[in-house]
Amino acid sequence: MTYSFVVEPLAVQDFESEDERIERCKEWNLLPGSATRVKTYLYKRQGLTLPCEIIGFVDNQTVVVQFENKQQHCIHPAYLKEMQTASFGQRAQAAADARSEDPAEAAGEAELLENQPVAEVRGEDDSEGAGSAGAAVGDTAERSESGSADAAGGVTAGETAAPAEKPRKPPASKKKPALQLPEDKLKVTAVVKEFTTVPNHFSDNDDEVIIYDNVAIEGHELAIDEVWSSHSATLKKLELKEGDPVSFEAKIVAKKLSQHPVKYKINNPSKMKVIQPDS
């Protein structure tokens, strides 16, 4: 049996080891800090409860699970965590019951609930929507008031209103073409510039990251000065320090680091080692 709702990943980042998989699940709050092995999770949707296993990830906000029929599906880790609660699905079911006279609309809302981030599902953006609606009402009132003033004391008979001047279009900005990044793993040398953290809105703890500079890529001349990576459990074993020259193999993707001007990330670095100076 195959599931029609599945969103298959275009590319899966594999875990380098079982230890990395456990550490990643802890970072996503899918395992407690004391856990020593990964558990089987439950995927819940439209009356179905399906056991699944985390087999990899697309990025830090998207995990890849595999069902018993070997189909793979992308899901946000915070949403998967909510599925483990006994009360999950009651809100979606209540919405479907309230709209039972329109099955298509109820199905659409259930689909929307699954695909939205958790903050949006809980309605945290309602104030923004109310503000937009208020702005629209105010704009309508302003145009109505302006029209009344023109009718009362505007242009008289025989006078010709000057044509409104068309707004000038701002000159088109010249954007630099996007950097074409190779899809294969690359051999890279760099220098550890900084250890820092960035906020994780789906966790009580910030994400630990490493920023590298003096980036050189074997066989390619790419305008990349700095890259970043997660400070995973595997990398922590190397006990890297700021200023350490390192070499590794990794795929480089365009993914900006939050609150930092670093535009590119290294995914799943392997064979990382500190370059020792020549004796």
Side-chain angles (χ1 to χ4, degrees), residues 16 24 69 92 97 110 126 146 185 198 211 239 262-263 267:
E16 291 186 2
R24 285 276 187 174
N69 65 354
D97 292 343
D126 288 349
S146 175
K185 270 196 169 186
V198 294
I211 299 176
E239 298 182 350
V262 187
K263 299 180 180 179
N267 271 353

Side-chain angles (χ1 to χ4, degrees), residues 69-273:
N69 65 354
K70 303 304 181 183
Q71 278 188 284
Q72 296 176 357
H73 179 57
C74 297
I75 187 172
H76 196 285
Y79 193 63
L80 181 61
K81 180 182 177 182
E82 284 202 358
M83 286 184 177
Q84 309 315 302
T85 63
S87 61
F88 178 84
Q90 293 179 359
R91 182 175 181 273
Q93 184 61 46
D97 292 343
R99 292 172 171 81
S100 57
E101 68 277 5
D102 189 347
E105 184 177 353
E109 176 159 338
E111 183 72 19
L112 180 63
L113 286 173
E114 169 146 356
N115 292 329
Q116 282 184 319
V118 174
E120 294 180 14
V121 170
R122 291 174 175 168
E124 294 180 3
D125 290 334
D126 288 349
S127 58
E128 182 178 348
S132 300
V137 172
D139 184 51
T140 303
E142 184 178 347
R143 290 200 300 269
S144 175
E145 183 178 343
S146 175
S148 299
D150 289 343
V155 179
T156 60
E159 292 182 355
T160 304
E165 182 179 351
K166 294 182 179 180
R168 296 181 180 177
K169 293 183 179 179
S173 60
K174 296 181 179 179
K175 294 183 178 180
K176 294 182 179 180
L179 188 64
Q180 296 297 319
L181 297 169
E183 296 184 359
D184 299 329
K185 270 196 169 186
L186 306 170
K187 293 184 178 180
V188 183
T189 59
V191 175
V192 177
K193 177 183 179 181
E194 179 183 356
F195 297 90
T196 187
T197 59
V198 294
N200 183 340
H201 301 296
F202 301 99
S203 171
D204 295 333
N205 302 317
D206 292 343
D207 290 338
E208 298 181 55
V209 299
I210 307 176
I211 299 176
Y212 310 80
D213 61 5
N214 296 335
V215 177
I217 302 171
E218 183 177 313
H220 298 272
E221 294 184 3
L222 299 175
I224 298 177
D225 298 322
E226 295 182 336
V227 294
W228 67 279
S229 73
S230 299
H231 196 186
S232 65
T234 302
L235 294 185
K236 287 180 180 178
K237 294 177 182 178
L238 296 176
E239 298 182 350
L240 298 173
K241 301 183 295 295
E242 292 183 3
D244 278 348
V246 293
S247 64
F248 53 87
E249 295 182 7
K251 182 178 179 181
I252 298 180
V253 296
K255 184 176 178 66
K256 186 178 183 300
L257 179 61
S258 300
Q259 301 181 352
H260 292 78
V262 187
K263 299 180 180 179
Y264 301 97
K265 178 187 178 185
I266 57 174
N267 271 353
N268 217 17
S270 61
K271 302 179 182 179
M272 181 172 285
K273 61 181 181 181

Side-chain angles (χ1 to χ4, degrees), residues 6-22 24-25 28 30-31 38-41 51-59 62-75 77 80 268:
V6 163
V7 179
E8 295 185 355
L10 297 178
V12 181
Q13 299 292 328
D14 297 324
F15 300 112
E16 291 186 2
S17 63
E18 186 66 13
D19 287 342
E20 184 186 3
R21 181 162 69 147
I22 293 171
R24 285 276 187 174
C25 288
W28 292 321
L30 290 169
L31 282 178
V38 177
K39 67 177 186 178
T40 299
Y41 295 89
C52 62
E53 177 187 8
I54 295 176
I55 62 163
F57 58 97
V58 177
D59 53 40
T62 310
V63 300
V64 178
V65 298
Q66 182 169 284
F67 301 110
E68 292 180 336
N69 65 354
K70 303 304 181 183
Q71 278 188 284
Q72 296 176 357
H73 179 57
C74 297
I75 187 172
L80 181 61
N268 217 17

Side-chain angles (χ1 to χ4, degrees), residues 37-56:
R37 58 190 181 90
V38 177
K39 67 177 186 178
T40 299
Y41 295 89
L42 296 178
Y43 181 89
K44 303 175 182 178
R45 178 192 178 99
Q46 298 176 353
L48 295 174
T49 299
L50 306 171
C52 62
E53 177 187 8
I54 295 176
I55 62 163

